[in-house]
Amino acid sequence: MRLRALLDTDALGLRLLGGEDELDRTVRGVMTTDLRDPSRYLSGGELVLTGLAWRRDASDTEPFVRLLAQAGVAALAAGEAELGDIPDDLVAACVRHRLPLFAVHESVAFATITEHVVRQVSGERAGDLAAVVERHRRMMTSGPAGGGPDVVLDLLGSDLDLRAWVLSPTGRLIAGSKVSGPALPGDACARLAAEHLAAARTGRRGPHRVLLDGSTFSLFPVRSSGRSAQGARDVRETVLSDWLLAVEADASDWQDERLDLLQGVTQLISVERDRRDAARTVRRRLAQEVLELVQTGAAPAEIAARLRVAAPVLLPGLGAAPHWQVVVARVEWDGGEVEGGPVAQSLLEEILVDPQATGPEPSDRIAVAHTGDEAIALVPLPAVAAEHDGSESGVHADALLKAVRGPLSAGLNDDGRITLGVSAAVHSAEGLRGALEEARHARRVAAARPGRVCAAGHQELASHVLLLPFVPDDVRRAFTARLLDPLREYDRRHRAELIPTLEAFLDCDGSWTRCATRLHLHVNTLRYRVGRIEQLTGRDLSRLEDKLDFFLALRMS
């Protein structure tokens, strides 16, 4: 453990008197002494506790501090119970020898500090190795049958005094120890997930050390132990689906025994993860069957029968048939070597869960199939909640990725992209085919936008935006060149700012007064510029058709 961690523990009553630059030193043990020369009992790395009984006057200080520094101790902690304030000569001697010095409040017993240090560094001491092995055995026997990740994390908290949480790749809290204190805030979870994904994309092995809001965390990847993960040749195949174990501690100075213990914990959590993935098989198969019926043009009655089977599985206890939404996702990697469909499938199963929900169970209410690089989710909505307007109570494209955009962008790095499309809610099998096409069209609209993570909803399909992504590139270039190139060339030669003037004029709905005010121009100057635009292009900006052409050209340029 680090000296800094001791200083940050309020219960120890430590106050730093010198050596602020040395707080990253590692503490490997603790010793209480009032001997004038304790060096024969020191092996280096200790926190030395003293009540200052060895000090008769200031001349005793220098030899004592020099012996401690030569022995390589980590720091000296002097109690205030006997003398009150720590003598200035001791502070000065510690500064000369670069030995960190702490004052121990008179209300704190040395035994309290000793117990804390021994507990923290127990994994580094040979005498505690048997205890570490026993803890490991207990954790192994407390796997999925004994309560899953929560039980394992409780043992970490009670036995090793480690606060730990299991997070999804999007930063959703999967599990946390009941003895870990308050849950991590949602923004902290998202930032830890982003740091984990960014580190994973670099290929660095875990654990990854992260400093967050003054606390140090070590992030351990929780990789699936299933066959698909074992056969993964590229980190991009699993990076967006692996869970992580976040431990509030600095694992960089841990000995192998303690690191092995934490790796064993990740294996236990991995087993639980695989068990829950296996439970999704039924829902995935239901989604695949419904999708195949819809895409092959099956009769609505046949699709409805399959939906009646799916409804109680996805929404147990539901009285009436639900409404449904369709969400389509596509994950694409540069180069095309990595298949995006399975990645998109596991990702949809996670991001369609309310980001405020905790535990793995909420994701057990979503059926997702995949084909090629595309994943398709069938999202049930209770009919009572959706009867007025399904889109109000269902999935919203603009909010779908808001909470997870940071972590996903880190995982995509600069060579991946996620696009999603969301349909309106439908209440019958007849509407499901249209919902699927609607979600696919919305995803194409999202794909036409810049950015690594984009989504679009059915509301946007009534806009001109729907048409732009499907205009062939050569048509787009020819159309914009014909209208805008004369203006750009004129601006280049005369600095006339015709393009900005055109944009402002259209944005002001052709209002001369508002446009002139926005551009800080006299109305006559604005009329001159618009006249020049019409002269160069042969268009009339008083006609709706010509305004629309200019508007689309600017949007496509």
Side-chain angles (χ1 to χ4, degrees):
M1 67 179 301
R2 308 279 186 177
L3 288 175
R4 192 180 305 278
L6 288 173
L7 187 62
D8 292 341
T9 305
D10 294 337
L12 299 184
L14 297 177
R15 181 164 51 89
L16 184 65
L17 300 181
E20 185 175 1
D21 295 336
E22 307 292 333
L23 290 179
D24 284 327
R25 288 189 183 186
T26 300
V27 179
R28 304 193 184 281
V30 62
M31 176 186 180
T32 300
T33 184
D34 276 316
L35 296 173
R36 292 186 181 183
D37 181 7
S39 58
R40 69 176 71 100
Y41 304 108
L42 298 170
S43 58
E46 295 92 346
L47 172 67
V48 174
L49 306 174
T50 180
L52 300 178
W54 51 267
R55 182 184 180 277
R56 294 169 301 184
D57 54 47
S59 64
D60 294 330
T61 300
E62 174 65 20
F64 180 82
V65 173
R66 183 174 63 251
L67 289 169
L68 295 186
Q70 290 173 349
V73 303
L76 174 65
E80 296 178 324
E82 291 293 329
L83 300 180
D85 292 338
I86 305 303
D88 292 339
D89 54 89
L90 180 58
V91 176
C94 288
V95 169
R96 283 195 299 273
H97 291 280
R98 300 182 62 84
L99 181 64
L101 175 63
F102 299 98
V104 182
H105 193 271
E106 61 181 1
S107 63
V108 178
F110 282 177
T112 301
I113 300 174
T114 299
E115 181 182 356
H116 180 83
V117 173
V118 169
R119 189 178 182 87
Q120 292 295 315
V121 302
S122 61
E124 302 174 11
R125 299 182 57 180
D128 290 326
L129 182 56
V132 171
V133 174
E134 174 62 15
R135 291 186 186 107
H136 198 174
R137 185 194 64 77
R138 288 172 55 194
M139 289 183 184
M140 292 295 291
T141 58
S142 300
D150 297 289
V151 169
V152 178
L153 299 185
D154 283 343
L155 283 172
L156 280 180
S158 61
D159 282 18
L160 298 184
D161 201 21
L162 290 175
R163 287 161 42 90
W165 302 265
V166 177
L167 306 177
S168 78
T170 62
R172 189 170 64 87
L173 182 64
I174 301 295
S177 169
K178 297 182 181 65
V179 296
S180 288
L184 283 174
D187 61 334
C189 292
R191 289 160 64 190
L192 288 174
E195 293 282 355
H196 166 71
L197 291 175
R201 287 305 311 275
T202 66
R204 289 190 286 118
R205 297 184 60 185
H208 307 119
R209 182 178 180 272
V210 174
L211 187 64
L212 187 68
D213 297 333
S215 297
T216 300
F217 292 84
S218 295
L219 310 180
F220 294 80
V222 178
R223 296 188 173 91
S224 172
S225 59
R227 183 180 304 172
S228 60
Q230 296 296 328
R233 296 186 300 270
D234 192 309
V235 67
R236 294 174 295 181
E237 295 180 30
T238 58
V239 67
L240 297 179
S241 58
D242 285 341
W243 289 356
L244 68 137
L245 174 67
V247 181
E248 190 175 7
D250 185 355
S252 61
D253 58 353
W254 285 1
Q255 292 293 324
D256 291 342
E257 291 86 355
R258 180 168 286 214
L259 286 172
D260 288 345
L261 177 62
L262 267 294
Q263 294 297 348
V265 170
T266 65
Q267 291 170 12
L268 291 175
I269 297 169
S270 176
V271 170
E272 179 68 10
R273 163 72 187 277
D274 291 341
R275 186 182 70 82
R276 296 181 189 277
D277 277 349
R280 291 176 175 172
T281 302
V282 173
R283 293 185 297 279
R284 288 175 172 178
R285 186 172 65 245
L286 285 171
Q288 195 71 44
E289 291 174 354
V290 172
L291 175 63
E292 289 175 358
L293 289 174
V294 169
Q295 295 191 125
T296 56
E302 188 177 358
I303 299 174
R306 185 59 60 188
L307 287 177
R308 282 194 295 272
V309 173
V313 175
L314 298 174
L315 289 175
L318 189 67
H323 293 199
W324 301 91
Q325 270 184 291
V326 175
V327 180
V328 173
R330 193 178 183 92
V331 174
E332 298 171 290
W333 303 99
D334 293 351
E337 304 95 347
V338 179
E339 185 181 359
V343 179
Q345 183 181 44
S346 61
L347 196 59
L348 266 187
E349 288 171 334
E350 173 58 37
I351 65 176
L352 287 172
V353 179
D354 181 351
Q356 302 303 316
T358 59
E361 290 74 16
S363 61
D364 294 347
R365 300 291 177 263
I366 298 159
V368 186
H370 81 82
T371 173
D373 287 335
E374 184 180 69
I376 302 168
L378 199 60
V379 182
L381 305 175
V384 174
E387 61 185 4
H388 297 295
D389 183 353
S391 64
E392 290 297 322
S393 60
V395 177
H396 294 261
D398 54 352
L400 188 59
L401 295 176
K402 182 179 179 181
V404 300
R405 181 171 274 107
L408 292 181
S409 297
L412 293 167
N413 200 359
D414 57 359
D415 61 346
R417 195 155 193 258
I418 297 171
T419 51
L420 295 100
V422 182
S423 79
V426 296
H427 59 82
S428 66
E430 289 87 347
L432 207 55
R433 183 175 293 109
L436 175 58
E437 290 306 313
E438 191 173 57
R440 281 175 166 161
H441 280 305
R443 193 207 63 78
R444 294 189 188 103
V445 170
R449 295 171 174 166
R452 291 285 170 190
V453 183
C454 298
H458 62 92
Q459 302 93 335
E460 301 175 66
L461 300 188
S463 166
H464 68 277
V465 176
L466 171 64
L467 303 175
L468 300 186
F470 311 111
V471 178
D473 287 343
D474 54 347
V475 175
R476 185 187 300 230
R477 285 192 294 268
F479 180 74
T480 57
R482 185 168 61 252
L483 277 176
L484 301 183
D485 279 3
L487 306 182
R488 290 170 177 151
E489 177 63 20
Y490 192 87
D491 281 348
R492 186 185 64 80
R493 289 187 288 109
H494 300 284
R495 298 181 180 178
E497 298 188 358
L498 296 184
I499 292 289
T501 299
L502 175 61
E503 291 174 333
F505 186 71
L506 295 175
D507 195 42
C508 292
D509 298 322
S511 169
W512 297 99
T513 303
R514 283 194 291 128
C515 184
T517 301
R518 174 182 294 190
L519 296 176
H520 305 290
L521 297 175
H522 193 279
V523 172
N524 289 341
T525 303
L526 175 61
R527 291 185 183 277
Y528 172 81
R529 288 188 183 180
V530 170
R532 179 64 68 184
I533 291 171
E534 294 174 333
Q535 180 184 10
L536 291 170
T537 60
R539 299 298 184 107
D540 182 355
L541 278 169
S542 65
R543 298 178 66 248
L544 176 61
E545 293 88 346
D546 288 342
K547 286 180 181 178
L548 181 58
D549 282 349
F550 276 122
F551 176 79
L552 292 174
L554 289 169
R555 281 298 181 96
M556 289 190 293
S557 63

